[in-house]
Amino acid sequence: MDSIRMVHVKLLAIDALSLTVHDNHSQSFSRKGKLISRIEVVGVVVSYERKDKYLSFLVDDGTGCIRCILWLNNQPDQFRLGVAAEMALEEAKAVQLGKLVRVRGKITMYKGMVQITVGDIFVERDPNAEILHWLDCIRLAKHCYDPPAGYLP
Amino acid sequence: MTTSAIKPGIPVILKELKPCSQFFKQGSSLRVTGRLQAYSADTAMAVIADADVSLKIDTQHLRDLNFRIGSSYQFIGELLILPDNNATLQARVGRNVDGIDLILYHQSLQLRRKYEAELTNSQQT
């Protein structure tokens, strides 16, 4: 049941935006009855907004636009979080309009909509990376993420 | 759930942009891919082509994109259809996609559409 809960599940935006939200003691998400907490999407940055504390941007993969938020206010704590803050600032610089990005992170909600709280961002230089991501999403959905035929949650 | 105000650019192949096509609608958000045939810095108009079909692209809103004739580009924007069925994509985002495997892209797009349709059907039942 929880086999994909802790991995980054590769999803198309149309799939990610239709996840089921469970508002019990702690917010959780499921896809076809399986709990998931982290996803990976690939798409083009079509808008972004930079504030002091965060960078918010929209990734368009052709099936939907998914909002991503990268927090920049990780305060250095005994040198431990300083590296994370520096990495977040570097990643924020890489996010530009028209760039093809691979975003991985935790699923969260914002104003009633699924968003990704960014763990890491990678700017793809190979335009074929997006095509391969589509094929990965389809293959993994059918052979790994979807419940077996006849399964009743 | 609410939806984002910015619509996704639905990927289409240039030859699908015929007046009878479901994608050929005023203001539809599309993603198009092709090789740059012509570009005018004065008017910011570009023409891309794929398999003998071409499309005009209005690039006036794009920044930091270098145009090279013969290179491949992908644009996301809204379709503007004039009364004579002459279409222009008003691009809001563009990128160079030199090295893209267009055959793989076209084939994968068909698979993806099929998957999307299956997903939508399963969500409705």
Side-chain angles (χ1 to χ4, degrees):
Chain A
M1 182 73 176
D2 284 354
S3 59
I4 60 171
R5 188 173 186 179
M6 301 309 288
V7 298
H8 287 99
V9 176
K10 294 186 180 193
L11 292 181
L12 295 174
I14 190 176
D15 215 344
L17 293 170
S18 57
L19 291 174
T20 304
V21 186
H22 303 279
D23 277 315
N24 40 25
H25 55 283
S26 64
Q27 204 168 62
S28 59
F29 302 85
S30 67
R31 179 189 179 278
K32 296 190 179 181
K34 286 189 177 181
L35 288 172
I36 64 173
S37 61
R38 295 172 169 85
I39 56 173
E40 176 176 328
V41 297
V42 174
V44 178
V45 177
V46 291
S47 82
Y48 70 92
E49 181 186 25
R50 173 82 186 256
K51 300 280 187 186
D52 287 343
K53 292 182 177 177
Y54 65 84
L55 171 75
S56 167
F57 56 100
L58 273 184
V59 172
D60 177 352
D61 74 354
T63 68
C65 292
I66 191 157
R67 184 177 185 265
C68 304
I69 184 154
L70 173 65
W71 291 101
L72 305 171
N73 58 343
N74 294 320
Q75 294 300 316
D77 172 20
Q78 300 292 322
F79 308 109
R80 192 166 57 86
L81 287 176
V83 176
E86 277 178 31
M87 281 177 68
L89 286 169
E90 282 301 311
E91 287 176 327
K93 280 183 201 166
V95 176
Q96 293 169 11
L97 277 185
K99 293 283 185 195
L100 180 68
V101 292
R102 181 181 300 274
V103 180
R104 302 196 305 174
K106 281 187 74 173
I107 313 162
T108 49
M109 291 289 283
Y110 178 71
K111 292 185 176 175
M113 219 172 150
V114 166
Q115 69 168 12
I116 302 175
T117 297
V118 176
D120 55 71
I121 308 168
F122 182 74
V123 176
E124 293 284 358
R125 299 193 188 282
D126 180 357
N128 297 304
E130 186 179 31
I131 305 171
L132 298 176
H133 178 77
W134 294 351
L135 299 175
D136 269 347
C137 288
I138 297 168
R139 181 180 55 85
L140 288 166
K142 290 189 175 175
H143 299 293
C144 189
Y145 305 152
D146 284 358
Y151 170 80
L152 293 172
Chain B
M1 282 184 205
T2 56
T3 53
S4 166
I6 296 181
K7 289 182 185 170
I10 308 297
V12 293
I13 299 165
L14 291 189
K15 69 178 180 187
E16 294 174 323
L17 283 180
K18 294 174 183 167
C20 58
S21 157
Q22 57 170 320
F23 304 112
F24 198 84
K25 286 181 185 159
Q26 191 71 265
S28 58
S29 298
L30 301 175
R31 185 199 288 214
V32 295
T33 309
R35 202 172 287 274
L36 188 69
Q37 260 189 348
Y39 175 72
S40 163
D42 293 335
T43 61
M45 291 300 288
V47 178
I48 59 166
D50 178 19
D52 299 332
V53 182
S54 61
L55 178 69
K56 278 192 264 184
I57 311 287
D58 181 351
T59 67
Q60 63 174 313
H61 299 300
L62 304 187
R63 300 283 178 274
D64 304 324
L65 187 62
N66 294 317
F67 292 94
R68 284 190 301 272
I69 303 295
S71 278
S72 297
Y73 291 88
Q74 194 167 72
F75 298 98
I76 298 174
E78 280 63 47
L79 200 65
L80 174 70
I81 304 171
L82 299 174
D84 56 356
N85 272 343
N86 215 337
T88 300
L89 187 88
Q90 296 181 300
R92 47 187 160 81
V93 167
R95 65 188 180 110
N96 180 293
V97 290
D98 278 340
I100 193 168
D101 183 336
L102 276 178
I103 296 170
L104 178 67
Y105 182 74
H106 295 169
Q107 290 173 341
S108 304
L109 188 54
Q110 301 309 321
L111 282 175
R112 208 192 76 163
R113 284 175 180 165
K114 192 173 163 224
Y115 173 74
E116 278 180 69
E118 286 169 4
L119 193 67
T120 306
N121 287 339
S122 72
Q123 284 166 356
Q124 286 169 349
T125 53

